[in-house]
Structures are given as structure tokens and as C-alpha cells.
Amino acid sequence: MKRSLISGFLAALFAASPVFAFEPFVVKDIRVEGIQRTEAGTVFNYLPVKVGDRFTEAQAQEAIRALFGTGFFDDVRIESEGDVLVVFVDERPAIAQIDFQGIKEFESDNLKAALKELGLAESRIFDRSLLEQAEQELKRQYLTRGKYAATVQTTVTPLERNRVAIRFDVQEGDAAKIQQIKIVGNSAFDQDELIDLFEQSTPGWFTWYTKTDQYSRQKLSGDLEALRSFYLNQGYLDFSIDSTQVSISPDKRDIYITISITEGEIYKISGVRLTGDLILPDETYRELVKFKVGDIFSREKVTESNKAITERLGDDGYAFANVNAAPEVDRDKHEVAFNIFVDPGKRVYVRRINVAGNDRTRDEVIRREMRQMEGAWYDGSKINRSKVRLDRLGFFDEVAVQTPAVPGTTDQVDVNYTVKERQTGNLALGVGFSSSESVVLSASVTQQNLFGSGNALSVGINTSKTNRTISMSYTEPFWTIDGVSRGFDLYHRTYDANSLDVSRYKTSSTGAGIRFGVPISEFDQINLGLALDRTKVTLYENSPPQYNSFVERFGNSATALLGTVSWSRDSRDSLLYPRSGSYQRAFLEFALPPAEMRYAKAIYQHQKWFPVGDLSALMLNGEIGWAKGYGGKTVPFYKNFYAGGIGTIRGFEQSSLGPEVVDPSDGDISSIGGDRRLLLNAEYFFPFPGTGKDKSFRLSTFLDAGQVWGDDDYKGRYKTFAFSELRYSFGLGFAWSSPVGPLKLSVAKPLKKEEDDKTQKIQFQLGTMF
């Protein structure tokens, strides 16, 4: 006799009691019907009864709930045939495959990974509710990319063995573009000035690359905060954003943004008080406060003041200092006073410094960069400086630092540095172009972190019409524990001046050298070097008499023992895109006895950057060079200074300025360089229109000045330094950090030039050359 004890579907609705009452019985056997993929043992594991047990109504309900809870089945039914318990199940299908059609905006592998986190993946049980969630999430992702016309349809196809195939069919459409950004309620500032603060923009020249004309809700939130910060930094304490309206055209291609604001009135600082536990001298705190009575209120300066005091206390060991500037607002007078409360907390010291993530780099390579010592008082500036030094090694993609308190103590912290190593070996093949040297091919093999020791080895080759170089160098940055570096160099260089506007000659130099770097402060370093150089000179029929005279006097090959001494100081905020700070370098190269050459060559450069606004910067650069022979010798002509072209004075041909000679055979005029040079550059950098805050594109306006002086010139000029002989040029520059290397382009016009000066209006350079 077959008895239906309970239906799984009804039991799910009415779990309190069975649908059909039955008499309990002793189970002699259990049989499972309807399974295709699920093992019978899986069902047995979830049943609360075994053969030989007495089966009751409560166990029937518990069995139904347990099998439904697995998520494997759409329906479960339990029946009995005599003393045999029969479990009927209707399995849910499994997902055999997931396909995507028409998707270009996202990678299929990334989408599958995201669906897997949602619970939708191949070999898993199919759940239609999860599929609907995935469809909605995919639509939402397209909305974040500005593709409001995107449609997503899903198709579920049954397959054999109770499986299904899922396909997402997508029509992405075009991204909606921001056609208008309108600000209502502004009177103190022009709308264009305010919109320039935004990351999003209307279509421009380069928005096809930057995508800043595509609407994003997250980016709009950031832009609104930038707008709010701007007004608060200008003194508008009561500024508010009343509403933000984003509308889309019927065809879902155009976005219109309207922002309504209330500016309010400008507030001034009426008072500044410092209270709390003031453990530092009062003048120290006053110097750290960035605002004073009478100043216009600026939230940025208040934040900077809090941060400066906190960091200063951190430098003295107060790692958990709390500084809070509480405002007291007088809305009638439009004034605000600040009570800066200082709580330094307890002074703490560093128990241990821990390093994690360095699988290849040796521990001592990292620890030698540390400026904070274990067992010493906590010093925030030294901890941050240690992080900067680790960043500048070039061995790591990321460097993070944390200073957790030691459990159970109130005066100890640990400093934990976590690094993410990068591949430090590099095989580079490159090509570059310039208006002076045409095609430049280069190749190099470099290992910056040899065997995890921090030592660097590089082998390079470079070829162009002018320079051909084969070189190898090895550097130990910590030859001594004090940070004195040592390096070795081998090189073979060929320089052919025939491709430049320089008198014809060719040199081939082979040499080897050793160098040392001695740090004298955190930002200053002195470098010392000694190299043995052998140079062979090749002249031609139309080479100038000065070159022939030199070869007749000293021969066409010369050996020189070259010593170098240099000092550098670099405080720029960035090596790639500097906006503030300075760079100074003094360099001296001299030939020592008993070698055949006797000369000294010195260069001093000073470069200063001044930030202008949020993205622009002014750069002033000055460089002076001087060379002199001694001991009855002269400066080799191939060591002369030259000027003209990108890097010196734009608008004039490469290396064309300074003393010149005339070829008697054809009357051609060419430069021979000189032993003194002065370069002056002023350049204003600003973002390329339409690129927003992307720093890889930069425009500039520049003014270049300079000249080269020497003893020989066919008109008798340039023998003594004179400002009247300087050449000037001005123009526009463009710089782009392209995927194939840095691109520099200038369009310049000389402001002052002589009749025989050779000019070049457009000059460019693509790629990095040795």
C-alpha cells in the first residue's frame, strides 16, 4: 500500500503540521527517486532517519525542510510503500555554461568572476532569482559607464542531463555625453572658473581619450565636493548646494547637469586661541597655525594647521595626538573664531619594526633604509621618510606603513611596513625619433635588485645617427653601512657630428671607471668618480683648421684619466610632473696626470618650481658651464659646449649657436662650440584643454635665452662674455608621456638672432635616449 506522507511544496507553506496524518512505522528500507546528478548518499546524509528507526510526522517535516535547505531541489515529496520510505525529488538544473554576446566594455573573465561571487557560476545550481540580480547589476554597471541606452537580455536554454546554458545578450550603445554643465546662483565667480574645478566636462579635443565627458554619479559627487571645498577655502562659510538635477535626452545620448547653489557671505577670522596641554613652546604652535586674525576663512588652512600640529607632536613621540579646531561663528558680523584644542596624549616609543611582503628582497636591504630605530622615541617624520626611501628604491609597487599600539601597553607601538614587490629585471627594446637625430634604436638589460641584494646591473646599447653607445654598469648602493655607494662602468661610445650643424669630426671613446656616492644629508649627495678614457678622433677634408691644429699638436688619439666630483640636491615634489621644490647640481670633470689630456670642465644648474593654482606651475632654470685647459694643454674640441635645440634654446637648430667657422671649399658655416655656456629658461606649464586633471598631457609657454662663447669665430665674436650676444626665443611646448616614451614638441620663434644664425621653428623628440 502506498501512502503519501507529506508534500515538500505544501510542507514549505504549512510547516507546522503534515498534510496527511499517518501512523509511525519502523523503516526497513529507504529509496530515492528522481535524482540525476545528485548522489543518493547526499540525500541520505540530510535525512533525519535511518533504516531501523521509527519514522514519525515530526521527522517527515524535518526531512522536507533539510532537503529544501540544500537548494538542490525544486520539489521534495516523501511517500511510504509498506515499511519502505520513498523520497521523490525534483532536481534544480545545473549551469553548464555562461556566455556573453555583444559585450565590449568589460572583459568576459572579469564578468564571470563577478557572477561567481554573486553565486552564479558554471557547475553551480541554477537559481533564477540570482540570474535576475545579475542582469540588474550588469545594467547598473553600464549606467556607471554612461551607457544609458544599454540593454541586457538573458536566455536560459535547457540541456541534457538536467543542465542549462545561460547567455547574456547585450546591446551596449554609445556612451551618453555631458552636453551642458550649468551652475545657478553664483555671483562671486564665473561659471567657467567653477566648472574648471570639475573632473567631468563637456566634450573637448581630448575627451575621446580621457573620457571626462562621460557622466558618472561617483565623479559628480567628487566634483560637488571640489566645488564645496573651493568656496569654503575662499571664506564662504555658509555655502550650500541646494539641488543637483541630472537630465537625459529622449535618445539617452545627451546629459544635462544643473547645480543650484547659495554662496552666502565671506567670513573672516576674528580670533585664534590655543588650549589644552601645550607641551611645546607657544611660538612653535603659532608658527604651525596657517591662519591669523583678519584673514579670510579657509577650511584648507584650518585642516593644514591641525595636521601640522599633529605631525609636529608626532615628531616628538606623541603618536596619538589629537588636535581639534572648534569654530565659534558670529553670523551677524560674518566672523569666525577658532579654539584649537591640543591633546598630545602619552609619549610612546617603537618596540619593533616589522617588514612583510619581501619574498625576494633581503630584509637588510629594506632595514638599511630605515630612519626610525627600534627602542627609540616614535618620530613621525622619520617613519614617513623611511617610507619615501623605500618607494624610491624602485623595488616595490606599493609601500604601506602602520603603527599599531602594542596590546596591553599605553606607551609602545610597532611600526609595520608592508611592501608589494615588483619585477626589477627589465629587458627593453625601444625606438625614438627626434628632429636632430632621426631614428634612435635602443636596447637594455637591467636588474635593479640583483639576487635581492639591492645591487644594480645594467647592459645597454643605443644607436642613432649621432650617438652609438655600448655600456655596462654595476652599482652597490650600500657599499658601506653608512650608505656610501660604489659603482663600476665600462663603455664604448661613437659620436658622429656630421648629422648636426657642427663642423665635421668623429670620435670613438672606450673607457672604464669607478665611482662613489657619499650622502651628506637626507637630500644632498656628493659623487666622486675616476675613469680611464681612450678617445680616437677622425677628421675630414673640410674639418676646420682648429680641429686639424689640435690633432697635429696632440695626435688623433688621446688617453685621459678623468676625475669627476658632483653635488646634487633634489627637493622637487615629483620626478615626472614636478610643481614645487628645487633641483641643484654642481659638476666638475677634470683630466689628471700622467695622462695626455689636461683640462677641467664645470657645470652648475639651479632649477626652481613654483605651483600656480591646482594644476599649473612655473619653472625657472639657469645653467652655467665653463671649461679650461691647464699645464700647457687646451680643452679638447670634442669636449666643447654647444647650444640650440630642445633642452637648451628652442627655435635654433641643434648645436648651432656660438663660435662658427667657414668651410673654404663651399662657404658653408658650421658651429665649433666653445668653452663657456650660459642657459636661462622660464617655462609655464598648464594642462592641455579637454584633458581635465590628466598630468600625462601638458602644454607650456616658454622663454629661452643663452649662448656659447669661445676663442675662435670667423667674425671674431664670442671671445668674452656679453649679455648683448645672448640669443632669445619664445614659443609653445607640448609634452606627453606616451606609451612608447616621452614626446616633446616645441614651436618656437627667435626673438633675437643674427643674420647667419640657423633657426628651426618646429622641433620634436620621441623616446628616451641614453
Side-chain angles (χ1 to χ4, degrees):
M1 176 182 178
K2 179 185 290 188
R3 291 176 294 175
S4 178
L5 304 182
I6 189 168
S7 166
F9 176 73
L10 292 176
L13 297 177
F14 310 103
S17 62
V19 177
F20 300 102
F22 67 92
E23 293 294 331
F25 63 93
V26 177
V27 178
K28 290 186 177 180
D29 192 14
I30 301 175
R31 192 170 74 245
V32 181
E33 300 286 348
I35 57 176
Q36 300 181 49
R37 299 180 321 278
T38 308
E39 295 291 337
T42 301
V43 178
F44 293 150
N45 287 335
Y46 283 94
L47 287 175
V49 63
K50 296 181 175 56
V51 174
D53 292 348
R54 184 176 179 80
F55 191 61
T56 65
E57 295 178 10
Q59 289 175 320
Q61 291 188 27
E62 185 180 350
I64 293 295
R65 285 194 294 267
L67 292 176
F68 260 112
T70 64
F72 298 159
F73 310 112
D74 277 329
D75 193 19
V76 179
R77 191 173 74 258
I78 295 179
E79 297 180 354
S80 69
E81 295 179 0
D83 295 329
V84 177
L85 187 67
V86 183
V87 181
F88 293 91
V89 297
D90 183 10
E91 281 188 323
R92 286 181 176 178
I95 301 173
Q97 64 187 53
I98 299 177
D99 295 319
F100 302 95
Q101 298 292 330
I103 291 182
K104 299 178 182 179
E105 191 73 16
F106 306 99
E107 294 289 339
S108 296
D109 291 342
N110 294 338
L111 288 177
K112 287 185 177 180
L115 291 178
K116 188 174 183 179
E117 292 183 3
L118 191 63
L120 206 66
E122 295 175 357
S123 300
R124 291 193 179 181
I125 300 300
F126 172 62
D127 187 335
R128 185 167 292 277
S129 64
L130 294 180
L131 180 61
E132 293 174 356
Q133 291 180 34
E135 183 177 335
Q136 294 303 317
E137 177 62 21
L138 186 56
K139 289 180 180 179
R140 192 184 70 82
Q141 290 298 324
Y142 275 107
L143 291 180
T144 63
R145 300 291 181 96
K147 297 199 171 185
Y148 291 89
T151 60
V152 180
Q153 291 184 344
T154 55
T155 304
V156 181
T157 304
L159 301 176
E160 71 280 358
R161 292 187 289 115
N162 198 25
R163 299 179 304 153
V164 295
I166 300 174
R167 189 179 72 191
F168 291 83
D169 292 295
V170 179
Q171 291 184 352
E172 294 185 332
D174 296 327
K177 302 296 179 63
I178 301 174
Q179 296 300 326
Q180 183 186 69
I181 300 176
K182 187 177 181 180
I183 298 177
V184 179
N186 59 300
S187 59
F189 304 97
D190 292 336
Q191 179 170 270
D192 291 342
E193 181 180 358
L194 298 178
I195 293 177
D196 285 342
L197 301 170
F198 291 5
E199 182 178 353
Q200 296 182 118
S201 66
T202 54
W205 290 357
F206 274 82
T207 51
W208 62 268
Y209 175 79
T210 61
K211 310 296 185 185
T212 55
D213 59 349
Q214 296 182 7
Y215 171 73
S216 166
R217 182 182 301 173
Q218 292 83 357
K219 289 182 179 179
L220 178 58
S221 297
D223 291 340
L224 294 178
E225 183 56 34
L227 180 63
R228 189 189 313 276
S229 297
F230 174 77
Y231 269 96
L232 290 175
N233 293 337
Q234 306 303 316
Y236 294 86
L237 186 62
D238 293 331
F239 171 81
S240 64
I241 297 176
D242 301 326
S243 65
T244 303
Q245 296 179 351
V246 180
S247 58
I248 187 169
S249 62
D251 60 3
K252 298 183 178 181
R253 291 188 175 185
D254 298 328
I255 297 288
Y256 300 88
I257 301 174
T258 302
I259 303 167
S260 178
I261 66 174
T262 297
E263 292 181 328
E265 300 292 336
I266 294 178
Y267 281 69
K268 291 188 176 182
I269 306 294
S270 61
V272 180
R273 297 195 310 273
L274 286 158
T275 59
D277 188 3
L278 305 179
I279 60 175
L280 300 176
D282 184 70
E283 59 270 15
T284 300
Y285 289 108
R286 296 292 175 182
E287 290 175 358
L288 296 172
V289 176
K290 308 299 182 183
F291 54 92
K292 62 183 183 297
V293 175
D295 287 351
I296 292 176
F297 164 75
S298 169
R299 186 177 70 172
E300 182 180 25
K301 290 184 177 180
V302 174
T303 303
E304 289 178 355
S305 300
N306 291 346
K307 182 180 178 182
I309 296 174
T310 302
E311 291 179 348
R312 178 61 181 83
L313 291 170
D315 294 346
D316 281 357
Y318 298 92
F320 306 113
N322 181 32
V323 180
N324 182 39
E328 299 172 1
V329 181
D330 186 337
R331 301 193 183 279
D332 294 331
K333 295 181 179 180
H334 302 124
E335 294 178 344
V336 57
F338 282 94
N339 178 24
I340 303 177
F341 179 79
V342 180
D343 178 15
K346 273 197 171 184
R347 195 179 188 192
V348 300
Y349 65 90
V350 174
R351 182 185 67 164
R352 281 198 297 264
I353 296 177
N354 304 308
V355 180
N358 55 317
D359 296 329
R360 292 187 302 272
T361 306
R362 299 175 190 174
D363 204 54
E364 63 268 20
V365 173
I366 296 177
R367 291 189 176 275
R368 68 194 184 191
E369 301 294 337
M370 297 296 162
R371 293 300 176 260
Q372 171 71 58
M373 297 292 104
E374 293 180 341
W377 290 115
Y378 175 99
D379 190 326
S381 62
K382 290 182 178 180
I383 291 173
N384 291 329
R385 181 59 186 168
S386 302
K387 180 181 181 297
V388 170
R389 290 179 66 90
L390 291 178
D391 273 324
R392 296 186 67 166
L393 286 176
F395 304 162
F396 312 112
D397 282 327
E398 297 177 7
V399 178
V401 59
Q402 294 178 325
T403 56
V406 176
T409 68
T410 58
D411 62 348
Q412 298 180 45
V413 297
D414 287 336
V415 180
N416 299 330
Y417 288 93
T418 303
V419 300
K420 181 180 178 182
E421 291 189 308
R422 59 179 296 183
Q423 295 294 333
T424 53
N426 182 37
L427 172 62
L429 302 175
V431 60
F433 303 88
S434 74
S435 53
S436 61
E437 298 197 47
S438 298
V439 180
V440 181
L441 301 176
S442 63
S444 65
V445 179
T446 304
Q447 176 52 261
Q448 299 176 352
N449 189 12
L450 192 63
F451 306 122
S453 65
N455 299 337
L457 174 68
S458 67
V459 178
I461 182 171
N462 181 61
T463 177
S464 70
K465 293 175 64 176
T466 304
N467 290 285
R468 289 177 174 84
T469 303
I470 301 174
S471 62
M472 181 179 71
S473 65
Y474 176 75
T475 304
E476 299 173 82
F478 272 79
W479 182 52
T480 71
I481 61 174
D482 297 324
V484 175
S485 64
R486 180 179 67 172
F488 302 93
D489 300 293
L490 294 173
Y491 62 87
H492 177 76
R493 302 190 185 101
T494 300
Y495 179 80
D496 190 349
N498 295 332
S499 62
L500 301 177
D501 190 30
V502 175
S503 297
R504 295 192 65 193
Y505 75 94
K506 181 178 180 181
T507 61
S508 179
S509 302
T510 303
I514 185 172
R515 49 190 160 76
F516 298 91
V518 182
I520 57 177
S521 77
E522 279 296 313
F523 303 97
D524 299 78
Q525 178 162 307
I526 292 178
N527 295 291
L528 307 171
L530 186 66
L532 184 64
D533 178 272
R534 180 73 174 176
T535 299
K536 182 179 180 181
V537 179
T538 302
L539 299 180
Y540 302 90
E541 292 183 357
N542 57 349
S543 295
Q546 292 89 338
Y547 294 180
N548 287 296
S549 175
F550 180 88
V551 170
E552 290 174 359
R553 184 177 177 185
F554 300 107
N556 65 350
S557 63
T559 301
L561 185 62
L562 301 178
T564 57
V565 178
S566 67
W567 163 81
S568 63
R569 179 179 178 84
D570 192 350
S571 62
R572 292 174 295 181
D573 60 340
S574 171
L575 298 181
L576 293 178
Y577 310 111
R579 293 187 63 244
S580 64
S582 63
Y583 173 75
Q584 294 182 72
R585 180 178 70 103
F587 173 83
L588 175 64
E589 176 183 292
F590 49 92
L592 298 170
E596 302 166 16
M597 294 290 99
R598 301 282 195 282
Y599 72 92
K601 185 175 182 179
I603 299 173
Y604 175 73
Q605 179 187 7
H606 192 170
Q607 186 180 98
K608 183 72 175 178
W609 290 81
F610 303 90
V612 180
D614 293 331
L615 299 173
S616 302
L618 173 65
M619 184 273 292
L620 300 179
N621 179 75
E623 180 182 315
I624 186 168
W626 170 88
K628 185 72 173 179
Y630 68 93
K633 307 288 185 176
T634 60
V635 178
F637 64 85
Y638 48 82
K639 293 289 185 178
N640 280 350
F641 292 105
Y642 294 90
I646 287 183
T648 55
I649 308 170
R650 287 158 284 193
F652 295 88
E653 286 193 10
Q654 185 76 23
S655 305
S656 65
L657 294 178
E660 298 172 322
V661 296
V662 178
D663 185 349
S665 62
D666 56 11
D668 188 33
I669 299 174
S670 59
S671 173
I672 59 173
D675 55 13
R676 286 151 289 160
R677 181 176 70 177
L678 176 65
L679 299 176
L680 300 171
N681 311 97
E683 191 158 7
Y684 176 69
F685 293 89
F686 55 95
F688 198 96
T691 60
K693 298 181 180 180
D694 189 346
K695 296 181 180 180
S696 62
F697 293 92
R698 291 201 299 180
L699 282 176
S700 65
T701 59
F702 60 82
L703 175 66
D704 293 342
Q707 187 56 276
V708 174
W709 290 267
D711 292 334
D712 296 308
D713 181 81
Y714 80 103
K715 287 187 176 181
R717 304 165 298 180
Y718 314 120
K719 291 188 176 182
T720 58
F721 174 84
F723 281 106
S724 60
E725 294 175 340
L726 290 177
R727 299 294 187 267
Y728 302 90
S729 67
F730 81 100
L732 292 174
F734 170 70
W736 176 33
S737 296
S738 74
V740 296
L743 168 67
K744 294 181 179 180
L745 173 69
S746 68
V747 180
K749 180 179 180 180
L751 292 174
K752 177 186 177 183
K753 66 183 186 68
E754 297 294 335
E755 182 180 355
D756 54 355
D757 287 343
K758 297 182 179 180
T759 61
Q760 191 173 51
K761 186 175 182 180
I762 300 176
Q763 296 172 320
F764 70 91
Q765 179 177 297
L766 172 62
T768 302
M769 293 174 286
F770 288 100

